[in-house]
Amino acid sequence: MKWDWNAVSGFMPHFWDGLRVTLEALALGSLLSFTLGLVWTLLMRTPTRWVRWPVGVVTEFVRNTPLLVQLFFLFYVLPEWGLTFSALTTGVCAIGLHYSTYTMQVYRAGIEAVPVGQWEAATALNLPRRRTWTAVILPQAIRRVVPALGNYVIAMLKDTPMLMVITVLEMLGQARLYSQQHFQFTEPITVIGVAFILISYLASLLMRALERRLVR
């Protein structure tokens, strides 16, 4: 097998376009999953059963169905109900919603790991409930769950190629399109594989740096 550097140089403009889309989907999907996951967690802790029950049903359904099925549903079924979004927006929503059901469990574990004495101290100081959550509980809980959230960022990165099935040309989509047009598969796919490794490694370094900063 001969390595063709001309194929690499020809693919690079497509690679940069795919990289931009991949990073955009990853950043927005991560932000959505972290935010929704925290919302689900707080809703599940409310004393009202009529809030907890539907949230539990929805999150269990999303967590136990494949991301690929959810992508197809959001992209092909919702337009029949009058809800139409761009392919990238649909992909971001699918990834964010799917992984929010996992980050929800991470937040739950972090909150439960906060010592009972912290709750008792907040009660003794007569802190309002909102103040207790924002100033006492959540800062300690989030500090504990940063490593686990970082793992899900990398998992979301590795799932971004699924967006190709709804016409989003992320990195793998660009590689597949270029390979089919030029009948050169080795170089584009190898470049994409190396790119995923490097991005995953950089993401892990950033999460470790954030963890160290929060521990201070």
Side-chain angles (χ1 to χ4, degrees):
M1 182 183 67
K2 184 178 179 181
W3 184 264
D4 189 349
W5 287 105
N6 291 328
V8 175
S9 61
F11 171 64
M12 290 311 293
H14 303 273
F15 167 76
W16 294 119
D17 288 340
L19 177 63
R20 176 185 57 80
V21 174
T22 296
L23 294 179
E24 184 176 354
L26 176 63
L28 295 177
S30 299
L31 180 61
L32 182 60
S33 70
F34 294 163
T35 304
L36 272 180
L38 183 57
V39 171
W40 300 145
T41 303
L42 296 179
L43 289 177
M44 287 297 291
R45 295 184 66 88
T46 60
T48 306
R49 184 181 63 178
W50 299 110
V51 174
R52 296 196 312 271
W53 185 81
V55 170
V57 170
V58 170
T59 54
E60 282 296 321
F61 177 80
V62 172
R63 184 165 56 246
N64 290 288
T65 53
L67 175 58
L68 191 60
V69 173
Q70 295 165 17
L71 282 168
F72 277 118
F73 181 86
L74 294 177
F75 191 68
Y76 293 107
V77 177
L78 286 187
E80 297 183 3
W81 298 349
L83 297 173
T84 304
F85 304 99
S86 69
L88 182 57
T89 300
T90 301
V92 167
C93 291
I95 289 178
L97 177 62
H98 184 79
Y99 276 94
S100 71
T101 61
Y102 293 95
T103 58
M104 164 189 172
Q105 299 300 326
V106 173
Y107 286 125
R108 179 188 60 79
I111 290 172
E112 291 178 354
V114 175
V116 176
Q118 298 295 311
W119 295 89
E120 295 174 347
T123 302
L125 293 172
N126 200 28
L127 292 179
R129 184 174 180 81
R130 178 178 297 180
R131 180 69 175 169
T132 298
W133 278 104
T134 58
V136 180
I137 304 303
L138 288 181
Q140 297 183 62
I142 292 175
R143 189 179 300 124
R144 288 176 165 84
V145 302
V146 167
L149 293 179
N151 291 336
Y152 283 117
V153 170
I154 296 175
M156 280 184 270
L157 170 65
K158 292 188 289 186
D159 274 347
T160 54
M162 288 192 186
L163 303 186
M164 181 173 52
V165 302
I166 58 171
T167 73
V168 175
L169 289 179
E170 39 63 63
M171 288 195 296
L172 186 59
Q174 291 284 3
R176 179 173 177 267
L177 181 63
Y178 181 87
S179 298
Q180 291 176 339
Q181 291 175 343
H182 297 84
F183 302 100
Q184 294 171 313
F185 293 87
T186 301
E187 293 81 6
I189 299 300
T190 302
V191 169
I192 295 304
V194 172
F196 272 108
I197 292 173
L198 292 177
I199 297 171
S200 297
Y201 181 66
L202 290 175
S204 66
L205 291 180
L206 288 174
M207 297 307 294
R208 290 174 190 171
L210 178 60
E211 180 184 3
R212 288 194 296 269
R213 184 176 181 84
L214 290 174
V215 168
R216 292 178 182 175

